[in-house]
Amino acid sequence: MANLTPLLAFRWSPRSFDPVAELSREDASALLEAARWAPSADNAQPWRFALGHRDDETFKRILVNLPEPDQRWAQRASALLLCAHRAGPVGHAYDLGQAVAHLTVQATALGLYVRQLRDLDRAGLAADLDLPVDVRPHVVAAVGQLGDPLSLPADLLRSEAGLRRRLPPAELLLTSQFARSVS
């Protein structure tokens, strides 16, 4: 593997969150600050977030708009973060991705874990959180400290304990000329 910073090399998206750990105000602030400083085309900063801490009303409203299989483990996260973007150019979703990536790297630096979910009831979230009409829900990020993977149902434990797999760099490149340069 290339010489990656440990913040990227050891980033992981678990489902096993500690069900009693809380996200501190300081850590939540640091995560949002990292997102705030992400690159943004024309400095539009189209990202918007709704942060719910376990057992508060925002958390519950986000949780019920996730598929039942994801609710089984997401309910144990310290926080659920709706990641949305203002309607506008196609690049707004890209900018949101940058902001969530920065937030994820900051979480890793704080010893926290983030798992993103893209399968969600976007219309339900917009209604339940009373979002402005120009704000589009995109993903939900579960945030928290690592919990005991053995507490997961058997079907989730298999994927949780499996090896992380990524395509080799040469398979990510579109032409063989470029693939030779990273092999």
Side-chain angles (χ1 to χ4, degrees):
M1 181 185 329
N3 187 19
L4 289 179
T5 175
L7 292 175
L8 296 174
F10 296 113
R11 183 217 54 81
W12 178 45
S13 301
R15 289 179 186 89
S16 53
F17 287 99
D18 182 335
V20 296
E22 295 184 13
L23 181 65
S24 72
R25 182 181 302 243
E26 295 79 20
D27 286 350
S29 179
L31 296 177
L32 294 172
E33 190 69 10
R36 184 170 86 97
W37 285 102
S40 176
D42 296 323
N43 201 26
Q45 301 174 54
W47 45 79
R48 298 295 182 266
F49 301 101
L51 177 63
H53 293 267
R54 188 186 313 108
D55 297 327
D56 75 13
E57 195 60 31
T58 300
F59 186 99
K60 292 173 187 173
R61 290 177 184 208
I62 295 171
L63 185 66
V64 299
N65 285 286
L66 300 178
E68 187 280 326
D70 290 330
Q71 289 181 29
R72 293 183 301 163
W73 60 265
Q75 66 185 339
R76 300 168 61 97
S78 299
L80 293 176
L81 182 70
L82 171 64
C83 307
H85 60 84
R86 289 187 6 256
V90 172
H92 280 191
Y94 179 84
D95 283 4
L96 172 64
Q98 290 261 14
V100 175
H102 278 64
L103 180 148
T104 300
V105 171
Q106 181 64 38
T108 304
L110 295 170
L112 298 169
Y113 294 84
V114 175
R115 183 172 188 92
Q116 297 177 44
L117 301 102
R118 66 174 184 235
D119 188 16
L120 43 109
D121 181 353
R122 288 172 176 78
L125 281 163
D128 289 352
L129 295 173
D130 196 26
L131 298 179
V133 295
D134 70 331
V135 172
R136 308 285 189 261
H138 201 73
V139 298
V140 167
V143 181
Q145 294 179 10
L146 192 59
D148 180 4
L150 296 177
S151 67
L152 291 171
D155 62 318
L156 296 178
L157 179 58
R158 281 189 293 280
S159 61
E160 190 81 353
L163 292 176
R164 292 173 57 192
R165 299 187 192 280
R166 290 289 191 259
L167 294 174
E171 286 188 41
L172 301 175
L173 297 169
L174 298 173
T175 67
S176 60
Q177 174 187 0
F178 295 115
R180 286 191 299 273
S181 69
V182 296
S183 298

